[in-house]
Amino acid sequence: MDSDTAESPTMDMPRSTADLVPFKRIMAANRGEIAVRINRAATELNLDTVSIYAYEDRNSAHRWDSDESYLLPASGTPVGAYLNISSIIDIAKENNVDAIHPGYGFLSESAEFAQACADADITFVGPSVQNLETFGDKTKARELAIKAGVSVTPGTTEPLTTTEAAVAFVEEHGLPIIIKAAKGGGGKGMRVVNKQEDLIPLFEAASSEALASFGDGGCFVERYVRNAKHVEVQVIGDGKGNVVHLWERDCSVQRRHQKIVEIAPACHHPMSVRENVLADALKITKACNYKNAGTVEFLIDDQGRHYFMEVNPRVQVEHTVTEQVTGIDIVQSTFLIAGGASLEEIGLEQEKIIPRGVAMQCRITTEDPARDFAPDTGKLHACRHSVGPGLRVDGYSYPGMVVQPYFDSLLVKYTANHKDWDGCIRRMRRALRDNHIRGVKTNIPFLLNVMDHPDFIKGSFDL
């Protein structure tokens, strides 16, 4: 063949994952470390990023991690600014945002917010409105679990609003019980009742806290599982009938119903128990054609029996440990699914999702263990985080930053991963000792005590 007429060889270039995202400009409708996480994931998908901030957050680093940032109008309180749906939608429309990621907390589980996005022709990067309505109400979620054949503890089928109804439940089922807010989560509106004389005051306290936190004082009551372990399953669905699990996490190390240390996978449980939990997580999410990322949470008793708790229809604070052991970017996956991609298109096939090694996350908060974990505030005179192999840092703190009293006390998250449990503990212990945070008190001394506790080292811990 004449060299002058020969055709040049061509090579079919693989399609970039970023090409699956149809939108170009996204907003992180949140603050702090999760807003930073969202912006970084979006940037790697070649998306323009927009942040929003309350006036009190004008010096927050999440502004600097985006291409543009816009001030939210005042809305009663600093937190209230991030809960004002109409203000957020207005800013998005005025600045040509075509997708909004809610992160976790604030409006992340709000069906009203998801619907407002849809009405404004903006993609909500999260579950469907129907999913949010189902799992935003724990009684509806419980009904779905029962219908799907998922194991649940004995409990009320409707939210209780009176102490008389709570007393009637105890008379039938006995103690101990746990009271939970019908709406919301995060440990708010939750009380454990062991004695009959504590029932009415604790129910009233839980209902009052639920009303203040979620605008709904309804609570449901169920039997309390003693010495339980808290295991949750990370799932991703595409809204097309397909759901996969990314294995499970153990979140049993808690303080006042707040997760402190999270581990992936739940390697201290027998594989038979883990397989049962994984199977039930897929049952309930497939039953509702679940879309996007979510977490199905269970309690496991000392006999290895598991009971459904709830579904958190959003990205979790502790998603980092799952990302480290599976190699799957959960936040980027939420964008891809929201853009209409199927699980197959983004390479999420169940048989190919295999956890490798162990990962552990510690949440470093500005709380003082010596003062019963009272929140601390002030300027960070020094802020140098640990680095090194197998260590991930997710945060937004910097030297000179002023920690304020208006928001959650989470400062930074350390995620250590290693090929085995012992190595993971040693790596996290080194990370906690190696950092240099000065100017505010933190819970690091408490976390170090956890790392050194003989039961924790043995992998023996429960709620």
Side-chain angles (χ1 to χ4, degrees):
M1 181 181 293
D2 191 290
S3 60
D4 292 333
T5 59
E7 294 184 6
S8 300
T10 59
M11 180 180 298
D12 291 331
M13 298 297 292
R15 188 183 183 191
S16 169
T17 303
D19 294 336
L20 297 173
V21 182
F23 34 83
K24 300 298 180 185
R25 190 171 171 82
I26 70 97
M27 171 190 285
N30 215 298
R31 65 174 299 278
E33 74 86 14
I34 188 58
V36 171
R37 176 74 184 91
I38 291 166
N39 287 333
R40 289 174 177 172
T43 298
E44 291 179 11
L45 290 172
N46 302 325
L47 302 175
D48 294 335
T49 56
V50 173
S51 288
I52 52 177
Y53 63 97
Y55 176 78
E56 292 78 6
D57 259 343
R58 61 193 179 279
N59 294 316
S60 175
H62 80 269
R63 290 186 60 194
W64 312 330
D65 246 66
S66 60
D67 297 313
E68 300 171 18
S69 62
Y70 296 94
L71 175 66
L72 288 163
S75 189
T77 65
V79 168
Y82 291 100
L83 297 174
N84 191 319
I85 293 174
S86 59
S87 294
I88 294 172
I89 295 295
D90 286 345
I91 291 174
K93 290 169 64 176
E94 290 167 4
N95 294 281
N96 301 312
V97 168
D98 48 14
I100 295 179
H101 199 305
Y104 55 72
F106 293 136
L107 295 169
S108 61
E109 298 181 46
S110 170
E112 181 186 357
F113 184 44
Q115 186 61 57
C117 289
D119 293 343
D121 199 26
I122 296 171
T123 299
F124 179 77
V125 185
S128 67
V129 172
Q130 185 177 4
N131 290 158
L132 292 168
E133 289 175 340
T134 297
F135 295 122
D137 186 325
K138 290 184 175 62
T139 53
K140 289 183 180 179
R142 182 184 175 85
E143 290 169 0
L144 177 63
I146 294 170
K147 185 177 180 181
V150 175
S151 175
V152 301
T153 54
T156 56
T157 57
E158 297 291 336
L160 305 184
T161 56
T162 66
T163 56
E164 290 80 6
V167 170
F169 178 87
V170 170
E171 288 176 349
E172 179 180 354
H173 295 283
L175 293 170
I177 63 165
I178 185 166
I179 303 166
K180 298 179 181 178
K183 302 287 178 69
K188 293 182 174 63
M190 185 180 292
R191 300 291 189 279
V192 176
V193 182
N194 291 297
K195 299 177 181 178
Q196 185 72 32
E197 58 266 31
D198 294 334
L199 175 58
I200 292 177
L202 288 179
F203 182 87
E204 291 175 342
S207 180
S208 176
E209 187 174 37
L211 180 63
S213 300
F214 312 116
D216 187 331
C219 294
F220 75 91
V221 175
E222 62 185 33
R223 283 297 303 275
Y224 181 64
V225 182
R226 292 188 186 277
N227 303 319
K229 295 177 174 60
H230 184 159
V231 172
E232 61 186 30
V233 179
Q234 176 70 60
V235 297
I236 297 180
D238 59 13
K240 307 174 191 294
N242 307 304
V243 184
V244 294
H245 68 74
L246 275 60
W247 296 84
E248 72 293 309
R249 300 184 283 257
D250 192 312
C251 305
S252 302
V253 181
Q254 301 184 14
R255 185 184 64 80
R256 297 173 183 167
H257 306 298
Q258 297 280 348
K259 300 168 187 173
I260 300 295
V261 179
E262 296 96 352
I263 301 148
C267 53
H268 300 106
H269 297 270
M271 182 54 74
S272 59
V273 173
R274 294 167 61 189
E275 288 173 345
N276 290 338
V277 167
L278 294 170
D280 271 4
L282 292 180
K283 279 183 187 177
I284 190 170
T285 47
K286 287 182 177 180
C288 64
N289 194 24
Y290 192 80
K291 181 180 180 181
N292 224 287
T295 304
V296 189
E297 309 209 7
F298 297 89
L299 291 177
I300 299 178
D301 68 16
D302 52 12
Q303 302 298 312
R305 295 170 298 198
H306 68 280
Y307 305 95
F308 169 76
M309 290 174 60
E310 62 184 357
V311 173
N312 285 315
R314 54 175 167 82
V315 171
Q316 292 273 75
V317 179
E318 60 271 20
H319 73 277
T320 62
V321 289
T322 297
E323 290 184 331
Q324 294 307 105
V325 297
T326 64
I328 295 168
D329 190 314
I330 293 172
V331 179
Q332 286 194 10
S333 296
T334 64
F335 282 118
L336 296 167
I337 294 296
S342 67
L343 295 182
E344 182 180 8
E345 286 178 307
I346 64 176
L348 290 183
E349 300 174 45
Q350 191 65 73
E351 62 274 13
K352 295 181 180 178
I353 303 173
I354 302 171
R356 291 177 172 82
V358 182
M360 178 197 309
Q361 177 183 278
C362 282
R363 306 184 188 191
I364 298 177
T365 61
T366 53
E367 297 174 312
D368 186 358
R371 297 177 54 236
D372 196 27
F373 293 91
D376 198 19
T377 58
K379 180 180 286 189
L380 295 180
H381 302 302
C383 184
R384 186 192 69 216
H385 295 298
S386 304
V387 295
L391 185 64
R392 168 176 171 172
V393 177
D394 288 76
Y396 68 111
S397 54
Y398 60 90
M401 170 180 151
V402 176
V403 177
Q404 303 187 70
Y406 311 113
F407 305 106
D408 185 87
S409 61
L410 179 64
L411 189 66
V412 64
K413 304 183 306 193
Y414 286 175
T415 303
N417 59 283
H418 196 274
K419 64 182 179 65
D420 57 39
W421 174 241
D422 176 65
C424 194
I425 292 177
R426 287 186 281 109
R427 181 159 285 165
M428 181 60 79
R429 187 186 292 124
R430 190 269 301 169
L432 293 171
R433 290 173 176 167
D434 194 35
N435 75 79
H436 194 70
I437 300 173
R438 301 292 183 269
V440 295
K441 299 290 186 180
T442 72
N443 65 336
I444 289 176
F446 170 78
L447 292 169
L448 282 169
N449 284 339
V450 172
M451 296 300 115
D452 291 335
H453 197 286
D455 287 345
F456 185 77
I457 293 171
K458 289 187 299 182
S460 177
F461 37 80
D462 52 41
L463 294 173

